[in-house]
Amino acid sequence: MKNMDKLLFRRQFIMGPKESGNFAGWRKTRIGGRFFLYSHPELDIGCLKAGEKEVYLLGYMLDPFNPGFNNERILEEIMRKCESFDDVLAFTDRYGGRWALIWKDETGIKMMNDACGTRQVYYYSGKHGIWCGSQPSIIAFELGLETSLTPELEEFIGSPGYKKECAWIGDGTIYKNVRHLLPNHYLDLELPEVRRFWPVKELCGSEPDNAVKETAGIMRGMIAGILNRFGNVMLSVTAGVDSRMNLAASRPYSGRIRYIFCRDAGNRCSTDYTVSSKLLERLRLKQHIIGLHEADKAFTDIYGRNVTMASDLPSKAFIYSFHKELPGYIHVSGVGAGIAKSFYSYDNSRISAGKICKAAGYENSAYVLSFVEKWLKDAESVKSLKTVNLYDLFYWEQRMGNWGAKSSAEQDIAVEETWPYNNRRLLATMLSVDAKYRKPPFYRFHRRVIRYLWEETLCMPVNPNFRKKAYQFVKNYVIR
């Protein structure tokens, strides 16, 4: 096998009711006596059994409250404290990382994944039985599936809104009978059926001071857990508030982290570059510049086959640079923070399928409208929860569960990516703070967290774009 071929389906998995001959060299694990799980050699797999209970972990979990715990220790905690899958759903809200978890007991086999679904799970149900995989493409590869595009789906893929960021909406795929397990849902493999499990109760309203301390503690614990688990860590620093919070949380460990900026000819004079370089200089930290390397054809081909509907955007060009310069590193990103930033700025009084489509940038898409109507029915139980903003929930499950999670998957052929914000307890804590403290352009709550963690990181401005801030301020005022 050629060296480049080893990148195909890197860190991925597939599971089905039959043995496969397509994944030589991959680990094979029997799940509950019913399924065969095949996992790439670079994807960590953990297993623990006790009587009728079995738990399997794909990927890695991070416990910010016990940063030194490894996968084995975390599985022991889950097995010791959980008697049922409902217990698992509640208990795992404390864990970050990038993982999928399979639970088997006398009631059957169920599957869930991390808070933002960054360890993606897709599932097929049809004449071949029930199959799960990390991408639609790996399921299609195993089962010989052909793409199946409806006119509505073709219109969506060809729309300016989709081409702008390749931001998928919904749980559907380009393959018939292959669907996506979205955040805050689990898959019952006996039926098969997907069910929502979060949120089920009101968010506990937090005073900003208490929420600042809890948010800061979890973020610091997440950074510590990443460092304990992985030897080489790089953290992106820009002018934004998300990376500033990551930077502030890294203070106790700054000597062990490589702070990076991806620079090309187009952003040498950008605000992100000038602010981040001066900021790190004032903090006496070195900024490591990642240059742009032009990807060769073999890498580009693998990239396109590895992730279904892989993005062909300028920002993705740096994935090859990671592959060339930092192949042994884990990339710490600020993605996921937008969930708690009141991204759409609306409250539930304005909720409707049409308004969600407009907020998401797909006002005229029949495909998106059809899915949003379905999503609102699924979220019917959430509507009675006054402290849960459905626009924030939609952003979490759709923007982060699709666009964000796909971004991490696209990097798998080069580096592993992790988000400190990918922690349900952390996100719930931040969302429990009144939106007026979390909204742009000032992000008062986020600044207080940064100040609490490392005040000196505010020596340079955050998002110093007056026009953008003025627009956001006026937009929020008009909405209110």
Side-chain angles (χ1 to χ4, degrees):
M1 182 182 288
K2 296 180 181 178
N3 185 52
M4 189 61 69
D5 290 340
K6 294 179 181 178
L7 300 181
L8 183 61
F9 300 137
R10 190 178 189 185
R11 301 188 178 99
Q12 294 199 34
F13 69 90
I14 186 166
M15 182 177 76
K18 299 178 181 179
E19 293 188 82
S20 172
N22 288 324
F23 302 97
W26 287 31
R27 296 187 189 93
K28 183 173 73 172
T29 307
R30 196 72 190 271
I31 305 292
R34 286 190 51 197
F35 294 97
F36 296 90
L37 170 68
Y38 292 88
S39 54
H40 187 274
E42 293 182 42
L43 177 63
D44 289 337
I45 298 292
C47 172
L48 200 59
K49 301 179 182 181
E52 291 290 329
K53 298 188 298 182
E54 300 177 18
V55 60
Y56 303 86
L57 178 64
L58 292 74
Y60 60 93
M61 279 181 162
L62 301 171
D63 186 347
F65 305 98
N66 300 282
F69 281 11
N70 57 19
N71 281 349
E72 291 73 22
R73 182 64 187 275
I74 290 174
L75 285 180
E76 290 173 0
E77 289 288 298
I78 293 173
M79 186 64 80
R80 184 168 62 87
K81 296 187 177 181
C82 299
E83 291 299 323
S84 67
F85 188 65
D86 285 341
D87 295 338
V88 174
L89 294 173
F91 186 69
T92 54
D93 74 341
R94 64 189 288 124
Y95 297 124
R98 190 170 171 228
W99 50 271
L101 185 143
I102 302 169
W103 174 269
K104 184 262 181 187
D105 60 18
E106 66 277 3
T107 66
I109 303 174
K110 301 176 179 67
M111 191 171 190
M112 64 179 297
N113 52 1
D114 56 75
C116 294
T118 61
R119 185 67 66 192
Q120 292 181 293
V121 175
Y122 290 84
Y123 61 97
Y124 164 93
S125 178
K127 65 180 182 179
H128 300 286
I130 301 169
W131 289 78
C132 297
S134 45
Q135 282 293 313
S137 53
I138 197 172
I139 298 174
F141 175 76
E142 170 65 23
L143 302 181
L145 304 179
E146 299 290 336
T147 57
S148 177
L149 301 180
T150 63
E152 292 80 11
L153 189 54
E154 286 185 327
E155 181 275 329
F156 165 66
I157 294 172
S159 68
Y162 180 78
K163 290 182 177 180
K164 181 180 179 181
E165 291 186 296
C166 298
W168 193 269
I169 297 290
D171 63 349
T173 71
I174 60 174
Y175 299 100
K176 187 178 180 180
N177 297 331
V178 178
R179 310 199 76 81
H180 189 190
L181 180 63
L182 294 173
N184 302 319
H185 295 74
Y186 72 86
L187 173 63
D188 187 329
L189 287 160
E190 300 297 324
L191 299 177
E193 184 176 272
V194 169
R195 297 172 181 170
R196 173 181 293 281
F197 69 87
W198 194 94
V200 293
K201 60 182 180 180
E202 299 284 0
L203 298 175
C204 298
S206 297
E207 290 297 323
D209 286 344
N210 295 332
V212 164
K213 293 178 181 178
E214 185 168 357
T215 298
I218 294 176
M219 290 202 64
R220 191 185 293 119
M222 289 293 294
I223 297 293
I226 294 167
L227 281 162
N228 284 333
R229 190 69 61 88
F230 301 93
N232 298 316
V233 175
M234 59 176 172
L235 191 154
S236 295
V237 180
T238 65
V241 67
D242 308 336
S243 74
R244 196 70 60 93
M245 285 179 69
N246 280 346
L247 172 62
S250 75
R251 181 181 185 178
Y253 324 103
S254 57
R256 300 167 55 192
I257 295 175
R258 180 180 290 235
Y259 297 100
I260 68 164
F261 184 85
C262 295
R263 188 179 70 186
D264 59 17
N267 65 7
R268 288 179 180 273
C269 299
S270 69
T271 300
D272 277 327
Y273 174 62
T274 55
V275 168
S276 63
S277 59
K278 290 179 181 178
L279 171 62
L280 291 173
E281 182 181 7
R282 292 186 181 184
L283 297 175
R284 298 182 180 180
L285 298 173
K286 182 179 179 180
Q287 183 182 52
H288 296 265
I289 301 298
I290 307 299
L292 186 60
H293 297 268
E294 185 175 354
D296 56 39
K297 185 180 182 305
F299 186 88
T300 302
D301 179 60
I302 293 292
Y303 172 78
R305 295 164 62 193
N306 229 36
V307 174
T308 308
M309 303 291 289
S311 307
D312 185 19
L313 300 173
S315 60
K316 301 304 176 185
F318 285 101
I319 294 177
Y320 186 67
S321 298
F322 290 158
H323 172 68
K324 295 292 289 184
E325 295 189 33
L326 299 162
Y329 276 72
I330 187 168
H331 180 208
V332 178
S333 169
V335 178
I339 293 169
K341 289 165 65 177
S342 193
F343 189 85
Y344 296 129
S345 298
Y346 295 107
D347 59 37
N348 288 344
S349 65
R350 293 174 171 266
I351 201 72
S352 73
K355 289 176 180 177
I356 290 177
C357 290
K358 183 177 181 180
Y362 293 110
E363 185 176 7
N364 300 313
S365 172
Y367 168 79
V368 175
L369 178 62
S370 175
F371 171 77
V372 174
E373 290 172 344
K374 172 187 170 184
W375 182 85
L376 279 174
K377 290 181 181 178
D378 170 69
E380 189 68 36
S381 62
V382 184
K383 291 181 181 179
S384 62
L385 304 179
K386 297 180 181 180
T387 56
V388 179
N389 185 299
L390 286 171
Y391 284 95
D392 289 344
L393 189 66
F394 183 84
Y395 180 89
W396 180 341
E397 296 177 2
Q398 295 303 312
R399 178 71 172 180
M400 292 298 99
N402 278 310
W403 172 84
K406 187 176 78 167
S407 178
S408 288
E410 287 167 342
Q411 295 178 57
D412 274 338
I413 58 174
V415 296
E416 179 80 62
E417 182 181 69
T418 192
W419 311 346
Y421 298 97
N422 185 24
N423 180 295
R424 186 170 286 103
R425 186 172 298 185
L426 170 65
L427 292 171
T429 298
M430 297 175 73
L431 287 170
S432 70
V433 176
D434 194 309
K436 67 183 180 182
Y437 297 109
R438 299 184 280 107
K439 285 186 175 182
F442 303 114
Y443 302 115
R444 287 181 285 173
F445 172 73
H446 300 77
R447 288 176 181 271
R448 289 178 65 175
V449 174
I450 294 169
R451 188 174 294 110
Y452 182 88
L453 286 164
W454 193 358
E455 186 171 6
E456 288 76 12
T457 58
L458 292 173
C459 66
M460 290 295 293
V462 177
N463 289 326
N465 186 323
F466 176 77
R467 289 185 179 181
K468 184 176 180 180
K469 287 184 176 180
Y471 167 78
Q472 290 175 327
F473 181 79
V474 172
K475 176 186 174 182
N476 291 340
Y477 178 79
V478 170
I479 290 173
R480 288 196 301 272

